[in-house]
């Protein structure tokens, strides 16, 4: 077996949440002043352990709220687990909220450099790859327009183009292939497939079992923050679809 790229050991993630269904800020403040706020711990992940090998594509499936996005955020370093450890060997490029590093007042061109820097690429690298990023995004002269004028499809194309311009060692993908129109989806899928066959290790969340079956070597099924099943794609997808 190849080198282990991601090791998740006994990870528990708890959130401290307000237990009262308070509607307004005023009510919240009044209760806080009276010392009447009640909090409860919500466990999003419960002692989750798994590893991913170099070049492997691991799919994550589960109903809404099962903990899939939390796993991705913990591995990306966005969230620190309450308990347990995560180790990643290699540079991690998270494509979670696509374009979450964008500044809407800046142009597409400026955002390429901003978002690229957030993803850890240096300026010279981005300058060298600039034309390639713009060409892939198909934004043409819109690249000089402030991105507040972009449609969500245009934003997604730009974010995808910046994120995949290099061959990241670990790519974390949340529902990426549903961006843009059919032609761009096809193109982004092709780019993902290239990255996967080029030895990139991929964690892939999708609601589409068809996409998971097509693209993943193994699948992890999460239910209520726990691992329900992990194993070969066909077996896990089959069990999931009949559950």
């Amino acid at each position: 077996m190849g080198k282990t790229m991601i090791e998740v050991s006994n990870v528990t993630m708890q959130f401290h949440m307000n237990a009262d269904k308070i509607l307004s800020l005023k009510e919240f403040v009044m209760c806080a002043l009276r010392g009447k706020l009640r909090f409860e711990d919500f466990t999003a992940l419960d002692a989750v352990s798994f590893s991913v090998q170099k070049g492997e594509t691991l799919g994550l499936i589960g109903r809404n709220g099962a903990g899939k996005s939390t796993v991705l955020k913990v591995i990306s370093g966005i969230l620190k687990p309450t308990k347990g450890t995560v180790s990643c060997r290699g540079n991690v490029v998270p494509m979670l909220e696509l374009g979450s590093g964008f500044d809407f007042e800046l142009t597409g061109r400026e955002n390429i450099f901003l978002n690229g820097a957030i993803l850890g690429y240096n300026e010279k690298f981005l300058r060298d790859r600039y034309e390639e990023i713009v060409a892939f995004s198909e934004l043409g002269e819109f690249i000089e327009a402030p991105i507040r004028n972009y449609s969500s499809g245009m934003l997604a194309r730009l974010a995808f183009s910046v994120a995949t311009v290099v061959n990241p060692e670990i790519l974390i993908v949340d529902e990426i292939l549903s961006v843009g129109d059919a032609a761009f989806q096809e193109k982004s899928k092709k780019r993902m497939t290239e990255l996967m066959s080029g030895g990139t290790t991929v964690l892939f969340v999708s609601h589409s079992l068809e996409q998971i079956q097509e693209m993943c070597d193994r699948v992890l099924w999460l239910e209520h923050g726990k691992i329900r099943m992990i194993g070969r794609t066909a077996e896990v997808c089959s069990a999931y679809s009949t559950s």
Side-chain angles (χ1 to χ4, degrees), residues 16-41:
H16 199 47
M17 292 167 77
N18 175 22
D20 299 299
K21 297 287 178 272
I22 293 171
L23 298 174
S24 72
L25 181 63
K26 183 179 164 192
E27 281 179 277
F28 183 86
V29 172
M30 295 301 285
C31 287
L33 290 173
R34 293 192 195 118
K36 291 219 167 110
L37 280 181
R38 291 183 309 120
F39 287 94
E40 58 191 28
D41 283 332

Side-chain angles (χ1 to χ4, degrees), residues 152-222:
S152 57
M154 289 162 76
L155 273 178
R157 297 204 313 255
L158 183 61
F160 185 89
S161 305
V162 177
T164 60
V165 66
V166 290
N167 289 356
E169 288 162 285
I170 299 171
L171 186 62
I172 295 186
V173 185
D174 193 356
E175 294 289 355
I176 180 79
L177 300 173
S178 54
V179 305
D181 56 20
F184 192 81
Q185 280 182 34
E186 200 46 53
K187 190 163 91 163
S188 53
K189 194 160 123 189
K190 188 161 166 271
R191 176 75 186 119
M192 291 285 300
T193 314
E194 276 167 25
L195 287 174
M196 289 171 187
S197 58
T200 297
T201 304
V202 183
L203 268 183
F204 180 52
V205 165
S206 177
H207 282 96
S208 158
L209 276 188
E210 199 182 313
Q211 270 183 7
I212 292 273
Q213 283 167 320
E214 196 180 328
M215 306 189 80
C216 300
D217 304 305
R218 283 192 309 144
V219 174
L220 168 65
W221 172 8
L222 280 172

Side-chain angles (χ1 to χ4, degrees), residues 70-183:
T70 308
V71 165
L72 299 188
K73 285 176 178 162
V74 166
I75 291 171
S76 304
I78 296 167
L79 292 174
K80 190 173 174 358
T82 314
K83 285 190 199 128
T85 59
V86 173
S87 70
C88 295
R89 296 172 182 88
N91 69 322
V92 179
V93 172
M95 288 199 268
L96 303 177
E97 288 90 13
L98 262 185
S100 52
F102 282 172
D103 181 329
F104 281 76
E105 294 310 307
L106 300 178
T107 64
R109 180 172 52 80
E110 291 163 327
N111 272 293
I112 286 176
F113 290 96
L114 173 68
N115 209 45
I118 290 169
L119 292 172
Y121 308 154
N122 67 41
E123 193 184 344
K124 180 187 181 314
F125 176 86
L126 291 164
R127 274 204 308 270
D128 291 346
R129 295 294 186 92
Y130 177 77
E131 296 300 334
E132 192 185 322
I133 294 170
V134 177
F136 193 96
S137 74
E138 299 170 7
L139 287 167
E141 63 213 37
F142 283 107
I143 205 71
E144 298 299 341
I147 65 168
R148 63 168 182 269
N149 301 328
Y150 284 18
S151 66
S152 57
M154 289 162 76
L155 273 178
R157 297 204 313 255
L158 183 61
F160 185 89
S161 305
V162 177
T164 60
V165 66
V166 290
N167 289 356
E169 288 162 285
I170 299 171
L171 186 62
I172 295 186
V173 185
D174 193 356
E175 294 289 355
I176 180 79
L177 300 173
S178 54
V179 305
D181 56 20

